[in-house]
């Protein structure tokens, strides 16, 4: 240990753990590998001068590829301690434009000293081989090994100094500090002045050193992780060292942690994930073949692999290997996942995966695809080379070991357990943490949780189910044989986007025989140029004629992601080939598909319904706008693509989601090439097909989406607009809107503020006016008009009814929806001035596409509106309900307008509801009408997913608040919309079973009256100086809950309550956020809202019970009082379900409007609508 270099070095007591901070002493330094793996080689002896070419690289803080400025010069120098001791110490010195740093050796990551170049005032040569670096009040003397070397250093340093001469120097230059102050670093006697600036943390001996730009070291936060450890202390963990800091107070600790986390955030947004992952040296070569700089990873297997190996990983399917790019799939790379990869690294992971690789089977970077495929399948699908866990084969022991191990930090052991058969979904036997995942989280092991999370559905190596396809699909192809000449292009790995001219094709003799399709140079050759096994064909696409140089072409897609294009000029030959090839690879179970005139046929993996765990093989054929599907052994089904509720590509282009009435189908992109072809084709087929009514994109109830959207929008935003439908919109905007609907109506979301009422109303009119064949059909419209001329009312009505029944299905549904809408419009004519007559004048000529010279057309429309209920046989009750809802909409809008007279978008009432868990595949998008209750929402969602409700299953709708770590089951009669309005963007609705409900009901049944008293631990959220910081602890208090109020007493004997709350204003949530350190896990978070005249007041406090049953009893009592004993629907839910009478949300029954937008947008816009005015929803039944 050296004591003379005391200007920089801080003395530390001996440390037992070398990874704990032992900064700056000459011993106990890091011995990990070098941080800087700069390009080129650097001799560890002499020093290297990076040619300067006359200008210095400027440090660009926005450059995302590098965190530190590039190194200008580095090398070994001897440094003289400033005190002037006679001997020198050997230091590794590194210079970039911002800092001169010196290290104990060239492997160190953290310097012993760092000097901001901005503070260097002079650099001069002194004596033999020496030079001085002068700062304001300190001089550093260095000695080089040669004169030339010394002169080099002096030149570059002077050059840099010159650059800084005219810039102003602030403390911390060149960075602006984000947060600074003294922090204790565990193990040091004195505190360090610590500065968080941008993406780095700097350590200085004291504030004076900071002011003169001379520090100890800087820490790059792109490799950092900040962990709360104790009241005042926290760890900054990097792969090279753990810095354990202690702040001066708990409150300051929070601020330090926040500041450092922000710095990490900044570092991450600046740097590539790849750079970080490669920080672990073994990650910089492929785990499978050793190729350098691998840019892909299998995130569940925890290996970093090269592109070619990644391709083979993909071939295993996502249930075995989840392949993600380090560079492109940014979203998946959470901090935890990155830490897992840094912690494990290819080397350690391979000690498991590749423990027994025979040298003859090992891959090299130049191995061919075939070898790679075999090796990777052996390694991960079969688990052939893995190191068997001692408990292998003993399921129970494996599960036990897993449960125990996830509580500690040994992630490699968890990996080993999982891939040797431990069940990640096994039961831990604990009610509080039923799964290994929850156990890991409860023990603050986020890395364990991350690993488990990515392996929840992984197929285990070697298990028989892990074959990618059921063998039946590989049955020998039926005996199809066919041969003849075809023209073929070179096979491709990318989709064909351009036209292939005849020159690009070559004539080939093709043969389909014995389940193999092969092509030859000519019919004389016996060796094929190439062959494709029928079982390797995954898709056959038939091009429209004349797409390429040869008029009739088709594409074949192979399992190994190649695309073959064949063509001919003979339509008959083309047809024969398509038929034969399809027959060769489509299994007997999906045989009916072969009879269709498909444009595309093949197999895809997909999931649906309740079984989202395992995917099935489905056989698909696309014919026009209909997708024909055979799933597993089931009967064939048809999906009408133009009628989908939703069609989207999710999860980084890997899943195509088709939502239709009653079900959702997830088609997985097992292979990229054919999948993207399917996506394009399906999306195109789901678009509108022409200008007649039935060719439009339709709703489930057969109404064109354009009509549905416009009607919905007008109902929401235009019913009070004076002269609605008579006033004209802005022509260019109307034309643009029509065009957008024509292109893809499903993607048009009308929004108030973005779209004008009159533009929308005119879009609707223009649609009907320009509709090919018209709404009343060209064949029958004259008859409709002739009836209108009739005088006898009742006669007319029955004749209209006859004609109505003659209309095609889509026309009939559309007419009903429109007349229903117009009926509603005129019911509010005192607001919009559009009475029956006015509407008829506008819509007569529009719908009958006449010139409007006589009133016959108007007369007909007048009749239809006036006798709407009779002609369309409308249920009066239903109609009344609809009108009531409209009244609510109008009232809400009035309130909005008086309160917020801005053009804020008013109502985007579609929301995302999750089923059982919050993840994308469990998402449901539901329109929430004002009157919808929690029970109705629950059953809407269950119905959609065809989930039956069994006896004693208490499905409920929960309001889940992630930020506060609390959740609340909504009362079954509670209106959903106000909840959405008042909850923040970090809340969501989740449909799941209320597991405690049975126990709660039993408890309540045993009580004479709902009341309860007893001790609970109480903590209040108090705001300090209005900053919203919480303080205080949990204290024992005595509570009495009865009829109207909850009273809190200091203890049992107290006479006067300390507090008294009206029960009906309390919202009781289950759970308390962990940050508050609740003494037990049976906590309730209580929100108290008082709606005072102007300023709503909100308090939040916490109650903690000793046992789960205590908590349930309190909760049950709260609910019972709040809902007058009606805690659960007594008649059972079937009735609620029945009474819902399939509320036809498309028409007839007006739903609040479908303007989708993002959920946050919706919430933000309605958040302004404060809590209070929503009382209105509760008043309307
Ligand atoms: Zn590789």
């Amino acid at each position: 240990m050296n004591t003379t270099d005391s200007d920089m070095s801080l003395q530390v007591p001996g440390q037992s753990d070398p990874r704990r901070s032992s900064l700056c002493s000459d011993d106990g330094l890091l011995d990990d590998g070098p941080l800087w793996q700069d390009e080129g080689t650097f001799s560890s002896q002499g020093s290297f001068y990076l040619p300067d070419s006359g200008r210095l690289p400027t440090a660009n803080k926005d450059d995302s590829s590098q965190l530190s400025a590039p190194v200008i010069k580095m090398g070994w120098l001897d440094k003289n301690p400033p005190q002037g001791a006679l001997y020198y110490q050997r230091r590794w010195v590194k210079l970039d434009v911002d800092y001169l740093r010196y290290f104990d050796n060239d492997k160190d990551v953290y310097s012993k000293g760092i000097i901001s170049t901005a503070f260097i005032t002079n650099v001069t040569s002194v004596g033999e081989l020496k030079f001085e670096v002068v700062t304001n009040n300190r001089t550093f003397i260095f000695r080089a090994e040669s004169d030339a070397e010394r002169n080099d250093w002096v030149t570059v340093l002077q050059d840099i100094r010159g650059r800084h001469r005219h810039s102003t120097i602030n403390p911390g230059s060149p960075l602006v500090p984000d947060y600074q102050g003294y922090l204790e670093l565990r193990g040091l006697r004195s505190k360090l002045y610590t500065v968080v600036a941008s993406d780095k943390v700097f350590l200085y001996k004291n504030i004076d050193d900071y002011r003169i730009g001379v520090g100890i070291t800087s820490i790059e936060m792109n490799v950092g992780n900040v962990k709360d450890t104790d009241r005042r202390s926290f760890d900054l963990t990097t792969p090279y060292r753990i810095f354990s800091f202690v702040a001066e107070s708990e409150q300051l600790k929070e601020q330090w942690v926040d500041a450092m986390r922000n710095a990490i955030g900044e570092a991450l947004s600046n740097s590539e994930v790849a750079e970080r992952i490669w920080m672990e040296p073994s990650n910089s070569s492929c785990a499978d073949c050793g190729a350098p700089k691998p840019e892909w990873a299998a995130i569940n297997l925890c290996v970093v692999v090269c592109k070619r190996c990644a391709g083979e990983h993909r071939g295993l399917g996502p249930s075995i290997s989840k392949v993600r790019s380090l560079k492109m799939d940014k979203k998946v790379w959470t901090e935890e996942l990155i830490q897992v990869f840094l912690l494990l690294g290819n080397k350690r992971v391979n000690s498991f995966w590749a423990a027994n690789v025979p040298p003859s089977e090992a891959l090299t970077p130049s191995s061919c695809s075939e070898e790679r495929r075999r090796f990777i399948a052996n390694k991960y699908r079969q688990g052939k080379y893995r190191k068997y866990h001692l408990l292998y084969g003993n399921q129970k022991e494996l599960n036990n070991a897993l449960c125990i191990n996830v509580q500690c930090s040994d992630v490699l052991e968890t990996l080993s357990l999982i891939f040797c058969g431990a069940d990640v979904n096994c039961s831990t036997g604990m009610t509080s943490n039923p799964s290994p995942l929850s156990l890991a989280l409860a023990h603050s092991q986020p890395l364990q949780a991350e690993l488990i999370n990515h392996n929840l559905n992984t197929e285990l190596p070697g298990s028989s189910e892990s074959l990618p396809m059921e063998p039946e699909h590989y049955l020998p192809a039926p005996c199809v044989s066919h041969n003849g000449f075809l023209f073929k292009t070179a096979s491709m790995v990318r989709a064909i986007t351009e036209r292939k001219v005849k020159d690009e094709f070559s004539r080939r003799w093709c043969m389909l025989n014995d389940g193999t399709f092969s092509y030859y140079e000519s019919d004389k050759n016996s060796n094929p140029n190439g062959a494709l096994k029928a079982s390797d064909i995954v898709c056959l696409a038939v091009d429209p004629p004349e797409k390429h140089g040869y008029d009739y072409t088709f594409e074949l897609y192979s399992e190994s992601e190649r695309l073959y294009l064949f063509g001919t000029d003979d339509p008959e030959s083309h047809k024969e080939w398509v038929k034969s090839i399809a027959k060769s690879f489509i299994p007997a179970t999906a045989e009916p598909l072969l009879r269709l005139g498909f444009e595309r046929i093949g197999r895809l993996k997909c999931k649906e319904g309740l079984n989202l765990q395992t995917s099935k093989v489905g056989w698909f054929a696309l014919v026009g706008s209909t997708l024909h599907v055979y799933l597993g052994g089931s009967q064939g089904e048809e999906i009408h693509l133009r009628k989908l509720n939703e069609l989207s590509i999710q999860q980084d282009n890997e899943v195509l989601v088709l939502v239709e009435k009653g079900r959702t189908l997830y088609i997985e992109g097992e292979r990229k090439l054919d999948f993207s072809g399917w996506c394009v084709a399906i999306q195109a087929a789901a678009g509108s097909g022409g200008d007649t009514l039935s060719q439009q994109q339709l709703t489930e109830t057969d109404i064109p989406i354009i009509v549905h959207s416009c009607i919905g929008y007008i109902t929401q935003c235009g019913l009070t607009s004076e002269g609605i439908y008579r006033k004209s919109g802005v022509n260019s905007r109307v034309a643009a809107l029509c065009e957008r609907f024509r292109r893809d109506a499903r993607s048009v979301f009308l929004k108030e503020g973005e779209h004008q009422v009159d533009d929308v109303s005119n879009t609707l009119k223009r649609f009907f006016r320009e509709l090919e064949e018209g709404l009343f059909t060209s064949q029958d419209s004259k008859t409709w008009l002739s009836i209108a001329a009739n005088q006898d009312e009742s006669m007319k009505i029955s004749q209209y009814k006859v004609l109505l029944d003659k209309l095609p299905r889509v026309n009939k549904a559309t007419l009903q929806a429109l007349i229903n809408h117009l009926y509603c419009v005129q019911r509010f004519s005192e607001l919009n001035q559009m009475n029956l007559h006015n509407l008829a004048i506008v819509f007569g000529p529009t719908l009958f596409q006449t010139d409007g010279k006589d009133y016959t057309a108007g007369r007909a429309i007048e009749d239809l509106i006036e006798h709407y209920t009779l002609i369309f046989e409308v249920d009066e009750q239903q109609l009344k309900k609809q009108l009531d809802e409209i009244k609510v909409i109008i009232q809400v809008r009035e309130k909005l307008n008086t309160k917020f007279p801005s053009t804020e978008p008013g109502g985007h009432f579609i929301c995302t509801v999750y089923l059982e868990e919050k993840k994308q595949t469990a998402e449901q998008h539901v329109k929430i009408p004002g009157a919808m209750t929690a029970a109705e929402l629950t059953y809407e969602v269950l119905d959609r997913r065809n989930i039956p409700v069994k006896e004693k299953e208490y499905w409920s709708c929960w309001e889940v608040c992630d930020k506060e770590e609390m959740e609340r089951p909504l009362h079954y009669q509670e209106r959903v919309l106000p909840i959405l309005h008042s909850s923040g963007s970090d809340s969501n609705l989740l449909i799941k079973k209320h597991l405690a409900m049975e126990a709660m009901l039993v408890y309540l049944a045993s009580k004479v009256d709902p009341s309860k008293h007893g001790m609970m631990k109480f903590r209040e959220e108090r705001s300090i100086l209005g900053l919203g910081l919480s303080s205080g602890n949990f204290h024992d208090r005595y509570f009495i809950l009865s009829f109207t109020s909850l009273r809190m007493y200091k203890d049992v004997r107290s006479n006067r309550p300390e507090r008294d709350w009206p029960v009906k204003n309390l919202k009781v949530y289950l759970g308390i956020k962990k940050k508050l350190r609740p003494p037990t896990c049976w906590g309730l978070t209580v929100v108290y809202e008082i709606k005072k005249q102007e300023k709503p007041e909100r308090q939040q406090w916490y109650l903690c019970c000793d046992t789960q049953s205590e908590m349930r009893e309190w909760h049950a009592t709260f609910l019972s009082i709040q809902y007058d004993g009606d805690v659960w629907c007594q008649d059972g839910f079937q009735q609620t379900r029945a009474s819902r009478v399939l509320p036809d949300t498309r028409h007839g029954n007006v739903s609040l409007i479908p303007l989708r937008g993002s959920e946050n947008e919706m919430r933000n816009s309605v958040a302004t609508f404060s809590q209070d005015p929503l009382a209105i929803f509760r008043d309307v039944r």
Side-chain angles (χ1 to χ4, degrees), residues 14-34:
Q15 292 282 320
S16 51
D17 177 358
R19 282 179 72 91
R20 303 304 290 187
S21 46
S22 62
L23 249 196
C24 317
S25 69
D26 276 356
D27 53 12
L29 277 161
L30 307 154
D31 55 1
D32 297 63

Side-chain angles (χ1 to χ4, degrees), residues 278 283-286 289-295 305-307 365:
W278 294 338
N283 284 344
S284 56
S285 48
C286 173
C289 75
K293 298 267 168 189
E295 296 189 351
V305 295
C306 71
K307 192 173 174 186

Side-chain angles (χ1 to χ4, degrees), residues 347-366:
K347 197 172 158 200
R348 294 190 71 208
V349 167
N350 266 341
S351 72
F352 168 73
W353 282 118
N356 308 297
V357 183
S360 62
E361 294 184 22
L363 291 183
T364 66
S366 56

